[in-house]
Amino acid sequence: MSELRKAFYVFDMAMFGFLLFAINHTMLFENWIVSALLDMALLLRVIVPLLLYKKERLAIIPLLTFALLFGVCIYMGAFHDLVINMAPFPGTLMRSIIYWVWLIPVAIYIVQYAAEQTKDDGYPWYYLIGGIVFKESIGKLLLSIALPLFVAFLIGYEMQEYLSFYALMSLPVVGYYFWNRHLGRTPYWIEYAIMLIGLYVFDKAQYKVDGERVAYLITSACIIFAVCGWMLYKSRQLVVSTLTFLMAAFLLPTMSLGYNVYQSIEGARSTKYEHVGLSNSRGYMYIRRDVIKDGKGNWSMGVRNRYHTTIPCEYKFIIPTKHYSPFAICINENRDSVIRSVEYGYVLE
């Protein structure tokens, strides 16, 4: 166990070292207050792991100070440029490292303190942080619901097209297996195959417009409803079967995509719009639709966020006015142009 503890702390410091490397190469602060807060937080982050390794209870003082200062830096957007500019590394990886550096020391202290409090009471320390759910059937069911939702949330937040596709196709199927096992049955392979077909139709719906998208979404829901109906027939468990349908047909696919596919059906999903500055976290993307004009096929484009269209799908080109600008030049078929807000859609006079 001692060697394992050492290896963990070495890995933790490696993560911290990589963050320092990234900060040194990509971050430039215009606000000296943020820079000063981050410097103090990083200094404390060097001290805290040493105190935790020695199991010093007074580590709580520098630990809380660090967590507060580092959290303020995150809230103030100190790491926005780091995530954007570390081009060789995915944004999800960089955010994971940032949150590792922030939260892992807190988690270690909680585990150490819980171990001291429970070692003579007959309860393992991990019961205090949720481990008890593995002892109860209902706990396992709730965990099998919460964990896929959390993974779908993390993936959907990034709105990476291919990663979302794999999550959409896999998370409901994995959930279907565990929810059936909770009821004491093993699904047939054909159930998985049919569900995958329904999920594939759901994914393709985001590339359709108007009534065609509605038809795809209804078809997907009907296919998954048939699978869950069979689950209900074999198990006679209405509540879990209904929950499985809602999770597999709506919640997990939608959260994996990261945006509301039922809104803004006038435009199909296109490439990610990554030039909105402080609004990046809202998940903007280009949308487009094919149009026929004078007997020739053509297309028009717009912009939407996670919830609705912000720039209508009626322009030939939409180009940011500058890098990470909240405004875009919208050019129509006649080469006339207007400047619109990407976030709110209004036209600048």
Side-chain angles (χ1 to χ4, degrees):
M1 181 60 71
S2 177
E3 293 300 320
L4 184 61
R5 288 182 67 239
K6 291 179 181 179
F8 178 83
Y9 280 101
V10 169
F11 178 77
D12 175 69
M13 293 309 297
M15 297 282 281
F16 179 61
F18 182 82
L19 180 65
L20 291 179
F21 168 82
I23 291 174
N24 183 57
H25 282 72
T26 64
M27 296 182 70
L28 177 64
F29 296 105
E30 297 180 359
N31 190 324
W32 68 269
I33 298 178
V34 177
S35 179
L37 291 177
L38 184 59
D39 289 341
M40 287 188 287
L42 294 177
L43 177 60
L44 289 171
R45 185 58 169 81
V46 176
I47 299 171
V48 166
L50 300 177
L51 297 176
L52 292 176
Y53 184 77
K54 295 294 184 179
K55 297 186 177 180
E56 296 285 349
R57 288 204 172 190
L58 288 180
I60 187 64
I61 298 174
L63 173 61
L64 290 180
T65 306
F66 156 74
L68 177 62
L69 293 177
F70 202 78
V72 170
C73 292
I74 292 176
Y75 178 78
M76 296 178 69
F79 297 101
H80 177 265
D81 291 340
L82 184 149
V83 174
I84 297 299
N85 294 332
M86 289 294 286
F89 303 96
T92 304
L93 173 62
M94 297 310 302
R95 289 190 180 92
S96 298
I97 293 174
I98 291 169
Y99 280 94
W100 174 284
V101 170
W102 184 29
L103 299 177
I104 283 299
V106 178
I108 293 174
Y109 185 85
I110 292 174
V111 169
Q112 290 181 349
Y113 181 77
E116 290 294 323
Q117 294 298 310
T118 60
K119 63 181 180 181
D120 298 325
D121 296 333
Y123 294 101
W125 61 264
Y126 55 81
Y127 272 28
L128 299 182
I129 58 173
I132 196 171
V133 300
F134 293 100
K135 302 294 290 184
E136 301 290 339
S137 176
I138 188 63
K140 294 178 182 179
L141 175 63
L142 293 176
L143 188 65
S144 70
I145 295 171
L147 189 57
L149 284 173
F150 182 67
V151 173
F153 168 77
L154 294 179
I155 293 175
Y157 183 83
E158 292 298 322
M159 289 180 66
Q160 296 293 337
E161 187 172 6
Y162 294 109
L163 188 59
S164 290
F165 171 76
Y166 292 124
L168 185 154
M169 296 293 291
S170 61
L171 290 178
V173 174
V174 172
Y176 186 75
Y177 168 79
F178 282 106
W179 301 325
N180 274 275
R181 294 298 297 168
H182 173 75
L183 299 180
R185 67 177 297 263
T186 301
Y188 301 108
W189 68 266
I190 191 65
E191 296 175 55
Y192 297 122
I194 295 174
M195 177 168 285
L196 285 172
I197 293 173
L199 295 170
Y200 183 78
V201 173
F202 187 99
D203 177 75
K204 291 306 172 186
Q206 61 182 326
Y207 302 104
K208 307 299 179 181
V209 299
D210 301 335
E212 191 174 5
R213 179 184 296 188
V214 174
Y216 268 67
L217 291 173
I218 292 176
T219 301
S220 171
C222 289
I223 293 173
I224 297 176
F225 180 80
V227 177
C228 296
W230 178 256
M231 174 184 175
L232 173 61
Y233 173 75
K234 299 297 289 186
S235 67
R236 306 299 182 183
Q237 295 291 327
L238 177 62
V239 174
V240 177
S241 299
T242 302
L243 179 64
T244 300
F245 171 67
L246 295 176
M247 291 282 291
F250 302 106
L251 292 178
L252 287 176
T254 301
M255 293 184 68
S256 296
L257 293 181
Y259 72 99
N260 188 349
V261 71
Y262 303 97
Q263 292 286 343
S264 302
I265 64 174
E266 71 277 7
R269 178 175 188 161
S270 188
T271 56
K272 194 173 180 181
Y273 189 99
E274 299 180 307
H275 309 283
V276 197
L278 297 179
S279 298
N280 274 345
S281 62
R282 299 193 180 182
Y284 286 83
M285 70 171 70
Y286 286 110
I287 54 176
R288 60 176 292 167
R289 64 181 295 143
D290 297 327
V291 296
I292 298 178
K293 187 174 182 180
D294 300 328
K296 298 180 180 180
N298 212 325
W299 46 265
S300 61
M301 63 190 309
V303 175
R304 65 161 293 166
N305 59 21
R306 297 185 190 274
Y307 313 105
H308 55 81
T309 298
T310 58
I311 297 179
C313 198
E314 56 188 38
Y315 296 99
K316 185 67 176 177
F317 300 104
I318 299 176
I319 307 169
T321 55
K322 61 181 180 180
H323 201 46
Y324 297 123
S325 170
F327 303 102
I329 302 173
C330 304
I331 306 171
N332 62 24
E333 194 71 31
N334 299 325
R335 300 297 176 180
D336 295 330
S337 64
V338 296
I339 297 179
R340 304 187 73 136
S341 164
V342 178
E343 186 171 3
Y344 301 105
Y346 59 77
V347 177
L348 295 183
E349 298 294 339

